[in-house]
Amino acid sequence: MEFTIKSGNPEKQRTACVVVGVFDNRKLSLAAERIDRAAKGYISDIIRRGDMEGRLGSTLLLYNVPNTLADRVLLVGLGRERDFRDREYYKAIHSAVKYLNETGAYEAVIYLTEEKVRRREIGWRVEHTVIAACEATYRFEHMKTESSEIRRPLRKLTLSVPMRSDLLIGEIMLARGMAIGEGVELARDLGNLPSNLCTPAYLADTARKLASMYPEIKTQVLERKEIEELKMGAFLSVAQGSETAPRFIVMEYKRPGVKRKPLVLVGKGITFDSGGISLKPAADMDQMKFDMCGAASILGVFRAIADLKPELHVVGLIPTCENMPSGRATKPGDIVASMSGQTIEILNTDAEGRLILADALTYAERYDPEAVIDVATLTGAMVITLGHVASGVLGNNETLVRALVSAGDDAADRAWALPLWDEYHEALKSNFADVANVGGRPGGSITAACFLSRFAKKYHWAHLDIAGVAWKEGKEKGATGRPVPLLANWVLSQENSDG
Ligand code: BES
Ligand code: MN
Ligand code: ZN
């Protein structure tokens, strides 16, 4: 979709549709009021009749509104004015765009950007209108032979800003929203692709494609032999059960002349998690194609930053393979040596994410990083802890953890911190090796992060467990693209910090 920005009166827009808000209970927004005044009370008459109460996300389409130049006026419910915050804003934009996309209008001028949202300036509203609009129009249907294609989809959305002096910041944030929106879309596409198509080699090709699109990105793909040479015994122990070959993807984004230490992003890339010999139950196992959503979010962030070109050095590391049972698969009780030298007793082959991440975290040491963040659909326990609302953040540096929580808050892609206290390490004791790969059910997300922390001692590190937020189940089953907005926000915020 195409996005533009402008400043002007709603009744004077020559367009297929003007979008304005109505608060609960039947209170017109400023833009709606302007149209109403031009139309001599036409809108307030309709509202008085009770066709639009202003309930959040509701819509009412009007044709031929007198004294306006637009073909249509779309009223969008904003909910109660004093409750109108980030989430409500998002929801209103989302419903409006979804509605427009499925109506005849191929373009529209939206005035919801002019509404006040607590703590959010015009730049934020522009950025998030774009991201929400991309999300609302996203479809993944190219694998259906009879696609239910939309006949006249929304092609162009113009965002209105209150003043001409807002246009400059508006343009900048529009570009930012588009870059992040496209990053989210890439992450969603990769997540939604089934594991027979989205293989480790496919993820590697995607990384190579990004490198060919953007001169700031370089990609290197390591195959099994090179992974063996690096002695990534933990990673290889997961990959060995599958007929599909593993890859270790290294991406580097760098602007010329940047002297700062790199930020390293690590993504879990299990393209299918059957559990291995500790096989998962059959119900919902299809969802384990989403077990590479951490990796997909790294690719999405690279796509976004390559568009926006911050003066930074960012490294992306993706260990990727399948977790399968077979005659060659790792068996419970097997002991392997990780790249760090620490030995691991694999008590449960379904706790595979931490194994592939352990070696990637050791590999990260060679960059002498400023900070390392890993992103993983790591534990089912995370879904129990925070549900589908927030990612869990754990780490060895308080400032970094807090910065991520705050980046998530600003991005409407929330994360919440969990503790990583010493007491939790007890659970990982092994009678036979340096560490066990599972710590039992209590505090499962925390003990998983404890395991990772043993491989992240040499730098500032944080871990995002996205098991609850990376995809939706049920009727809306599909990847969300989270936490691309959070990560992109954090990475971009590092441009102006003095490291
Ligand atoms: N990929 C899963 C985690 C997961 C499960 C995410 C369900 C989202 C929904 C991970 O590899 C896994 O299997 N974890 C185990 C760990 C356990 C064996 C200690 C889990 O959470 O059950
Ligand atoms: Mn698993
Ligand atoms: Zn997994």
Side-chain angles (χ1 to χ4, degrees), residues 301-482:
V301 170
F302 266 70
R303 151 120 229 212
I305 59 175
D307 266 341
L308 298 170
K309 311 210 187 304
E311 297 296 323
L312 288 170
H313 182 187
V314 187
V315 174
L317 302 177
I318 297 175
T320 171
C321 66
E322 287 179 342
N323 184 24
M324 294 292 279
S326 80
R328 269 184 294 157
T330 295
K331 304 170 290 300
D334 287 1
I335 295 176
V336 298
S338 64
M339 184 180 178
S340 73
Q342 295 177 77
T343 57
I344 305 167
E345 184 184 15
I346 300 175
L347 288 172
N348 189 322
T349 64
D350 197 12
E352 84 297 338
R354 61 196 79 182
L355 295 171
I356 73 170
L357 290 172
D359 285 341
L361 289 170
T362 303
Y363 188 90
E365 288 173 6
R366 69 179 57 199
Y367 296 99
D368 183 24
E370 190 171 307
V372 178
I373 297 172
D374 78 73
V375 187
T377 48
L378 203 66
T379 61
M382 198 64 237
V383 191
I384 307 300
T385 309
L386 296 177
H388 301 292
V389 177
S391 306
V393 200
L394 305 97
N396 62 14
N397 180 272
E398 187 85 17
T399 314
L400 178 59
V401 168
R402 252 190 262 135
L404 288 169
V405 171
S406 143
D409 187 40
D410 278 340
D413 178 10
R414 281 197 291 217
W416 199 249
L418 298 176
L420 201 60
W421 294 316
D422 285 345
E423 289 90 327
Y424 291 103
H425 279 278
E426 289 295 313
L428 296 170
K429 283 207 169 129
S430 160
N431 284 356
F432 306 108
D434 297 340
V435 66
N437 80 324
V438 290
R441 278 165 54 84
S445 304
I446 300 178
T447 54
C450 279
F451 180 90
L452 295 178
S453 74
R454 299 177 61 111
F455 302 87
K457 293 211 167 118
K458 304 225 168 106
Y459 41 71
H460 292 170
W461 158 81
H463 156 65
L464 285 170
D465 193 333
I466 59 167
V469 303
W471 72 90
K472 290 184 180 166
E473 309 175 88
K475 206 158 62 45
E476 296 196 307
K477 196 192 301 187
T480 60
R482 291 178 70 181

Side-chain angles (χ1 to χ4, degrees), residues 268 273-275 280 288 291 323 349-353 378:
K268 171 178 172 182
D273 181 11
S274 71
K280 286 182 181 294
M288 285 297 116
D291 212 17
N323 184 24
T349 64
D350 197 12
E352 84 297 338
L378 203 66

Side-chain angles (χ1 to χ4, degrees), residues 194-265:
S195 73
N196 58 327
L197 301 175
C198 184
T199 58
Y202 186 90
L203 290 178
D205 285 345
T206 306
R208 284 201 197 93
K209 211 163 96 197
L210 287 178
S212 71
M213 280 166 64
Y214 301 101
E216 292 85 2
I217 297 183
K218 297 210 165 27
T219 294
Q220 191 195 354
V221 177
L222 310 185
E223 303 203 355
R224 194 187 304 264
K225 204 163 146 267
E226 294 145 295
I227 301 169
E228 280 166 2
E229 277 157 16
L230 285 165
K231 299 195 158 53
M232 292 187 164
F235 176 25
L236 288 164
S237 76
V238 177
Q240 77 190 38
S242 170
E243 299 283 331
T244 307
R247 296 283 188 274
F248 190 85
I249 306 168
V250 181
M251 278 184 294
E252 238 176 295
Y253 164 89
K254 193 168 190 241
R255 289 279 287 167
V258 171
K259 293 271 145 51
R260 278 173 55 172
K261 293 186 189 180
L263 311 168
V264 179
L265 305 176

Side-chain angles (χ1 to χ4, degrees), residues 117-189:
V117 181
R118 174 136 43 122
R119 283 174 49 224
R120 304 304 187 196
E121 302 303 321
I122 183 66
W124 187 96
R125 284 162 5 224
V126 167
E127 177 187 355
H128 289 275
T129 299
V130 175
I131 297 175
C134 292
E135 265 180 47
T137 52
Y138 175 84
R139 297 167 80 85
F140 186 85
E141 298 207 316
H142 52 274
M143 317 224 101
K144 296 188 175 178
T145 47
E146 231 161 284
S147 80
S148 52
E149 223 170 80
I150 291 176
R151 242 175 292 138
R152 280 165 65 89
L154 185 62
R155 290 243 167 72
K156 184 175 163 196
L157 192 62
T158 300
L159 284 55
S160 177
V161 295
M163 290 178 292
R164 297 190 59 79
S165 57
D166 295 325
L167 286 170
L168 187 63
I169 185 76
E171 291 287 356
I172 293 170
M173 298 311 270
L174 191 80
R176 186 172 155 131
M178 282 164 65
I180 294 173
E182 274 168 25
V184 167
E185 195 173 301
L186 173 61
R188 290 177 84 175
D189 276 346

Side-chain angles (χ1 to χ4, degrees), residues 474-491:
K475 206 158 62 45
E476 296 196 307
K477 196 192 301 187
T480 60
R482 291 178 70 181
V484 171
L486 178 161
L487 281 173
N489 221 8
W490 178 78
V491 169

